[in-house]
Amino acid sequence: MKERRPYEPEAMWKERDLSSGKTVDTMVAILRTGGCSWSKTGGCTMCGYNTASMPQIGETDLMRQLDLVAERYKGEPFVKFYTSGSFLDKNEIPMTVRERVFEEFSGCERLLFESRPEYIDRDVAGTLPSNVTVALGLESSNPEILRKSVRKGFTPEDSRKAGETVRDAGLSVRTYLLLKPLFLTEGQAIEDSVKSAKYADAYSDEISINPLNVQRKTVAERLWKRGEFRPPWIWSLVEVMKQLSGNVEARLMSSPSGGGTQRGVHNCGVCDKKVLDAVEKFSFTQNVKDLEVTCSCEDKWKNYLKAERMLGSSADIERGISNDLALRM
Ligand code: SF4
Ligand SMILES: [Zn+2]
């Protein structure tokens, strides 16, 4: 494995994303940082980003990372800066680094970064360039799910206030929702994401549905290894999009990490790519017809929802059954 150096970004790549209603070239940089302050107190149950951070990273390293980003940047209109936490957390991204990013990228069409709500107030929002989109990880609008299942450390209300503050400053908001937080059945998860999107719609320009992806060294991984958690079906993601299409004003999108793998959102294995492609297409077009794909495993998914309801369990029924069969054979 390549040695990880504090002065190199975690990753950089180019992709296509929407800005001002059209698809444009986009540059993505994941800065390697000292890590999310919340993750140092245990963090969220599904988040393994602390494994990507290096506690010793400081201003000098981050400035060198920005030099490398600048070298790679070729004038793409949309630039996204991810960290393994919050761009607006001064402990993670010192002010000088923040100011340099704003200086170098305030001229592009769109600049996106993520932040927890506690780092956003009117004063901070007032200092952000006009091309900024702040991405807020609401995950769920249900306070109990947020507290017990996600262990987010803030309330839906905190996220809403931060979103409104960003909007009041004339900037845009992308809200992330977590599809299938731990301990929820597949059916409850669909319902939760639909409700949460309607909640976030009031202050979000975009809503990104992120199916839980089992990351290493997380509570989610412990449960998954014991067969107590199955990442959501892609059909559930499609269902959420279908139920929301036409019922929210925000643009709906999803670009699942680990899609089609056992750790990520998945179906039967045969149709995964086709259905994920449909979700990607829908994310750009917002045309619900693009979600009209089929596979025989859709019935299996429907039966899974029924079986879960009957058993009242969020354990991985499918895996339980196949393990049981394997034991009997
Ligand atoms: S999900 Fe975000 S807030 Fe939660 S621990 Fe990970 S980086 Fe921090
Ligand atoms: Zn299938």
Side-chain angles (χ1 to χ4, degrees), residues 6-8 32 56-66:
Y7 54 84
E8 283 174 350
R32 202 165 269 165
Q56 76 274 28
I57 289 179
E59 186 180 346
T60 317
D61 292 318
L62 283 161
M63 287 295 193
R64 288 180 71 186
Q65 292 187 37
L66 287 185

Side-chain angles (χ1 to χ4, degrees), residues 174-190:
R174 177 178 287 189
T175 290
Y176 296 135
L177 299 179
L178 180 67
L179 176 61
K180 206 171 177 190
L182 302 179
F183 318 119
L184 266 66
T185 63
E186 198 81 16
Q188 288 167 335
I190 294 170

Side-chain angles (χ1 to χ4, degrees), residues 1 7 16 58 82 85 103 130 132-133 137 147 160 162 170 189 223-225 230 248 270 273 275 279 325:
M1 215 164 94
Y7 54 84
R16 304 273 291 164
Y82 296 127
E103 220 173 272
S130 59
V132 162
T133 296
R147 191 162 50 88
R160 182 180 62 76
L223 293 177
W224 173 72
K225 280 192 172 160
R230 186 209 188 275
V248 286
V270 176
K273 187 173 178 316
V275 188
V279 169
L325 285 177

Side-chain angles (χ1 to χ4, degrees), residues 2 5-12 29-32 61 64-66 68-69:
K2 201 181 155 220
R5 299 188 178 93
Y7 54 84
E8 283 174 350
E10 187 65 23
M12 289 189 278
I30 304 185
L31 298 180
R32 202 165 269 165
D61 292 318
R64 288 180 71 186
Q65 292 187 37
L66 287 185
L68 295 172
V69 174

